[in-house]
Amino acid sequence: MAITNLNSFLCDYFSAKNCGIIHNNEGVLKIQLNEQMDRELMNRPFYWHYIKKIGRDGDPMQLTMITNPQKRDIPGEWIHFGSPRLQQIMNNLKSNERFTKLFQKVNTTNKVPLYPWLVTNIKVSYQGQHKKDEVFSIGLHLVNGRMKLDMMTELGELQLQTKISDFCFTISPIIKLRSGYLRIEDVITNYIYNQEHQWAERSLEILDEEIRTLKHFYEEETETEQMKNEIDELTKRYDPKITISMINGGIFYLKEDAL
């Protein structure tokens, strides 16, 4: 259910941003950035300010991203859940393209109905002794209630556009957006509840050990402000938490047999 194929996710992301795919093989993805993505990802504001000042087009950088653990020795950036570059991309999506509305491209001279799907990309973050993120892509048919996992992979096989094709018309949703989102959230919540959470138990054990060690260090002193602050810091670090956050989403109007 989670997006485990980071290579496909990154390839789709940069293709959607109109960046060139120079190389994509065995978990090694080399991208030619365009100016927009260079500005957003590469942190070169002074370069672009200077280039524009002298009236040149500029030279966007290339990125090599590695998602295959067996290829980590190749020059490039090792990408995994929690890596700075992936977090940057997620933040970019969250800030600039959190919501969208797209239509399936249909070449037809007959009337074709397009059905609404609510699509959400959701991040589940586990925090305790260690940190881990999972990303889920779920679609919900807003007419019949059908739910689809790995929705971004499915959408990657379709031609999508911002305007509806000629001779097509949209079907009004029966399921309201709020109700639909709550259905998707229930799926995520049930997934979390059905997992084994030894990591959380272990984090609590470590937290208890650290607090006892700290109190032993202060010996029999009454609780001081410094001790309280240190206990608070330990609690923030080790107290297990699970948070659910939406990265982005949208309404996608698709043919009934599209998926």
Side-chain angles (χ1 to χ4, degrees), residues 231-243:
I231 291 175
D232 288 344
E233 287 299 318
L234 289 170
T235 301
K236 289 178 183 177
R237 186 186 311 169
Y238 292 111
D239 193 30
K241 298 181 185 67
I242 300 176
T243 58

Side-chain angles (χ1 to χ4, degrees), residues 92-110:
N92 182 272
L93 281 170
K94 184 176 180 180
S95 300
N96 300 325
E97 299 179 36
R98 198 172 185 188
F99 304 104
T100 189
K101 180 170 72 173
L102 294 173
F103 303 86
Q104 183 178 358
K105 184 178 180 180
V106 182
N107 295 316
T108 182
T109 56
N110 299 316

Side-chain angles (χ1 to χ4, degrees), residues 102-115 159 161 163-172 253-257:
L102 294 173
F103 303 86
Q104 183 178 358
K105 184 178 180 180
V106 182
N107 295 316
T108 182
T109 56
N110 299 316
K111 290 185 177 180
V112 176
L114 299 181
Y115 293 82
Q159 287 185 290
Q161 56 191 25
K163 295 183 178 180
I164 191 169
S165 298
D166 292 340
F167 302 104
C168 292
F169 62 96
T170 60
I171 300 296
S172 297
Y253 287 92
L254 311 176
K255 291 170 58 181
E256 183 63 11
D257 60 353

Side-chain angles (χ1 to χ4, degrees), residues 162-218:
T162 57
K163 295 183 178 180
I164 191 169
S165 298
D166 292 340
F167 302 104
C168 292
F169 62 96
T170 60
I171 300 296
S172 297
I174 294 176
I175 302 170
K176 293 182 179 179
L177 287 179
R178 176 175 174 77
S179 176
Y181 180 77
L182 290 175
R183 292 191 191 193
I184 292 173
E185 196 174 58
D186 283 344
V187 171
I188 298 293
T189 302
N190 289 333
Y191 167 80
I192 294 171
Y193 282 149
N194 289 327
Q195 301 303 303
E196 295 183 354
H197 295 294
Q198 290 93 341
W199 65 273
E201 296 172 3
R202 180 56 183 156
S203 289
L204 288 173
E205 291 173 359
I206 293 175
L207 175 59
D208 184 60
E209 292 171 4
E210 291 287 340
I211 290 176
R212 283 192 280 109
T213 301
L214 180 66
K215 289 183 176 180
H216 178 73
F217 174 79
Y218 282 97

